[in-house]
């Protein structure tokens, strides 16, 4: 198919972190598409794989009411964080409590950062009557293996002298014993993982994502050793193997923590969201997919939503246009990429960049499948 024959376009981006949420990004990109192909049917699906924007996307798809609660932020100071209540189900976006956006770059400290606020949101959701929780993992400032979340729900993490460990992933190397609460949570939990990484090791939470959270080489080694220690104690004391579980490394090991301390089912956030949004049906009749995020790189291919979208489009025989602030790394076959040269994009910038990208592929007939 050539661009002149294009009739149906699916616009399905995720958040451009730090600037645009999924809905705002989708609106801007769809305006850019319509500026070039005004006669085309443009079907818009803002998406989230469990990280930034999960609440707004779930609310747009299925409704519900937002609640705000004061919880511990990643470095302990209180923050106002939201959850989405949909009847007896609650949706929690972990980044609301412990997100990287909560900490200025100069103050990032993954050795101390905690997921305690996520546990407080879970407690508030259950106290309000939820019997099913969807917990989105992604965009965190933490590498504590979900121990902060668990502390807020009554779990204790003790050293060799039976003293509680300090908050954060940096203390986990001294973990000697895990003490469960008297009463477990007792609700169904689905944890949406934005990546498929294991808990520790070469592809684990600390080594792959620690540096972007402020960890230097020494801190990365300490965090990785702590997560390995945590996995060993979980297996020894809870009879549960989480170290190599796909998604265990999501949100600094919160995936492993959710599995161990909440008895959660770990799911690919991208796949869960794409099914909810009916992406497969949309691609069946689409001539082009337009997707994007702030920075597309090798991590995007580790289970993040834009990577999954490009894979789905390729499997359906639909060409793809990837529009991002910055693009690094290999692209799937059938994908054409345009970026903003690393600029932070406003909504107007993104609309203009998308229009320029569409004009570029239209002028060069680069929609051949």
């Amino acid at each position: 198919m050539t661009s002149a024959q294009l009739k149906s376009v699916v616009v399905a981006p995720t958040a451009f972190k730090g600037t645009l949420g999924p809905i705002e990004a989708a609106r801007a990109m769809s305006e850019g598409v319509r500026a070039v192909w005004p006669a085309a049917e443009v079907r818009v699906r803002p998406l989230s794989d469990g990280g930034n924007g999960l609440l707004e996307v779930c609310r747009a798809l299925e409704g519900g009411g937002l609640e705000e609660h004061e919880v511990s932020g990643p470095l302990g100071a209180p923050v106002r964080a939201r959850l989405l209540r949909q009847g007896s189900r609650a949706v929690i976006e972990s980044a609301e409590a412990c997100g990287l956006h909560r900490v200025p770059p100069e103050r990032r400290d993954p050795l101390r950062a905690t997921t305690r606020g996520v546990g407080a949101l879970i407690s508030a959701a259950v106290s309000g009557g939820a019997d099913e929780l969807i917990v989105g993992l992604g965009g965190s400032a933490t590498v504590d293996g979900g121990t902060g979340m668990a502390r807020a729900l009554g779990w204790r993490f003790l050293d060799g002298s039976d003293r509680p460990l300090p908050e954060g992933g940096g203390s986990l190397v001294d973990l000697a014993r895990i003490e469960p609460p008297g009463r477990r949570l007792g609700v169904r939990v689905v944890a949406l993982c934005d990546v498929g990484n294991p808990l520790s090791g070469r592809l684990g939470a600390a080594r792959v994502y620690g540096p972007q959270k402020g960890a230097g080489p020494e801190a990365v080694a300490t965090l990785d050793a702590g997560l390995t220690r945590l996995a060993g104690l979980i297996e020894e004391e809870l009879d549960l193997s989480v170290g190599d579980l796909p998604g265990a490394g999501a949100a600094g090991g919160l995936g492993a923590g959710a599995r161990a301390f909440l008895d959660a089912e770990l799911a690919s956030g991208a796949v869960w969201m794409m099914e909810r949004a009916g992406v497969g049906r949309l691609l069946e009749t689409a001539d082009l997919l337009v997707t994007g995020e702030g920075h597309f790189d090798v991590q995007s291919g580790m289970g993040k939503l834009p990577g999954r979208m490009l894979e789905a489009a390729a499997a359906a025989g639909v060409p793809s246009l990837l529009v991002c602030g910055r693009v690094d790394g290999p692209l799937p076959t059938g994908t054409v990429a345009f970026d903003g040269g690393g600029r932070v994009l406003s909504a107007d910038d993104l609309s203009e960049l998308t229009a320029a990208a569409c004009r570029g592929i239209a002028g060069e007939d680069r929609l051949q499948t």
Side-chain angles (χ1 to χ4, degrees):
M1 168 175 293
T2 68
S3 58
Q5 298 169 303
L6 184 146
K7 295 179 181 178
S8 176
V9 181
V10 174
V11 176
T14 189
F16 282 58
K17 289 181 182 177
T19 53
L20 304 172
I23 291 176
E24 197 175 8
R27 185 181 300 118
M29 294 175 82
S30 65
E31 289 173 358
V33 171
R34 291 187 175 102
V36 178
W37 293 303
E41 178 189 19
V42 181
R43 291 173 289 176
V44 181
R45 289 293 189 279
L47 301 174
S48 168
D49 50 21
N52 301 83
L54 177 66
L55 298 185
E56 66 178 83
V57 170
C58 287
R59 191 181 188 198
L61 283 173
E62 298 178 331
L66 292 170
E67 296 177 4
E68 195 173 83
H69 298 271
E70 185 175 281
V71 302
S72 171
L75 296 182
V79 298
R80 301 295 297 181
R82 302 169 302 164
L83 63 82
L84 176 66
R85 198 173 294 279
Q86 299 174 314
S88 62
R89 182 174 73 180
V91 182
I92 291 169
E93 184 180 321
S94 60
E96 281 278 313
C98 66
L100 193 60
H101 68 283
R102 295 283 191 187
V103 188
E106 67 276 8
R107 294 191 59 220
R108 290 175 184 170
D109 187 355
L111 293 172
R112 292 194 307 112
T114 176
T115 54
R116 179 178 282 274
V118 180
L121 284 175
I122 289 171
S123 180
V126 174
S127 296
D131 59 19
E132 180 184 13
L133 303 179
I134 306 298
V135 182
L137 314 182
S140 80
T142 56
V143 193
D144 75 347
T147 54
M149 171 201 69
R151 291 172 201 261
L153 298 171
W155 292 76
R156 301 180 74 215
F157 299 88
L158 309 171
D159 66 14
S161 300
D162 266 0
R163 294 174 301 196
L165 293 178
E167 298 266 350
S171 67
L172 292 177
V173 290
D174 296 321
L175 180 64
R177 190 164 68 87
I178 300 173
E179 185 179 287
R183 183 178 179 183
R184 302 288 281 265
L185 194 62
V187 300
R188 180 172 185 258
V189 181
V190 178
L192 304 182
C193 304
D194 67 332
V195 294
N197 300 69
L199 181 59
S200 59
R202 184 176 61 88
L203 296 177
R207 297 198 181 277
V208 176
Y209 304 106
Q212 71 190 38
K213 301 179 185 190
E218 189 173 324
V220 165
T222 298
L223 290 165
D224 188 62
L227 292 176
T228 300
R229 178 68 179 156
L230 176 63
L233 264 291
I234 288 173
E235 185 160 11
E236 181 180 320
E237 299 193 3
L238 304 182
D239 195 27
L240 186 64
S241 178
V242 298
D244 295 323
L245 194 65
L254 185 53
R259 180 72 187 94
F261 310 128
L262 304 178
D263 195 27
E265 170 194 344
L266 300 191
S268 162
V271 172
W272 184 92
M273 179 59 67
M274 289 163 64
E275 289 175 351
R276 221 111 186 139
V279 167
R281 295 190 301 275
L282 293 175
L283 290 176
E284 288 176 0
T285 55
D287 299 321
L288 175 68
L289 166 70
V290 181
T291 188
E293 62 178 333
H295 183 193
F296 185 94
D297 60 12
V298 66
Q299 295 179 9
S300 301
M302 294 181 175
K304 289 183 178 288
L305 197 140
R308 293 279 194 177
M309 286 294 298
L310 297 177
E311 291 170 3
V318 177
S320 298
L321 174 60
L322 177 68
V323 182
C324 300
R326 180 179 175 186
V327 175
D328 292 313
L331 298 170
T333 302
T335 300
V336 177
F338 285 74
D339 72 13
R343 290 182 297 139
V344 175
L345 301 175
S346 67
D348 288 343
D349 292 335
L350 182 56
S351 180
E352 292 170 7
L353 180 61
T354 304
C358 292
R359 284 192 294 270
I361 60 174
E364 298 172 25
D365 266 347
R366 293 172 68 183
L367 292 188
Q368 302 291 344
T369 57

